Amino acid sequence: MFEILIAVGIFTVLVLVAAGDQLLHGHGLLIIGTVTAALGLIVGVSVGIRYHLALYRTLEPLGILEPRWW
């Protein structure tokens, strides 16, 4: 069920982007793009940090990490 909601959400966003030429102009699209990029960076960096911390916590006790492992 959750996957269907994601698919519908993506479809809705794509339709709105396609219709964005008629609905929004210049400045509005720039703001939407900036917000989207900022959210992507926030989510991507936080997930990356958590992944590397989990990787370190898993591999450190085994002693297989080399210097500059990241």
Side-chain angles (χ1 to χ4, degrees):
M1 180 66 182
F2 183 67
E3 293 85 4
I4 293 173
L5 292 175
I6 291 174
V8 169
I10 292 172
F11 178 75
T12 303
V13 168
L14 290 174
V15 168
L16 290 175
V17 167
D21 183 34
Q22 302 297 323
L23 300 175
L24 296 170
H25 297 284
H27 189 66
L29 291 175
L30 182 64
I31 291 173
I32 291 171
T34 303
V35 169
T36 302
L39 289 174
L41 282 170
I42 291 168
V43 170
V45 169
S46 64
V47 168
I49 289 171
R50 281 190 274 164
Y51 166 76
H52 283 89
L53 286 174
L55 184 65
Y56 177 77
R57 288 181 185 142
T58 302
L59 297 179
E60 175 61 25
L62 302 175
I64 58 176
L65 289 179
E66 298 177 4
R68 298 181 58 93
W69 62 272
W70 56 85

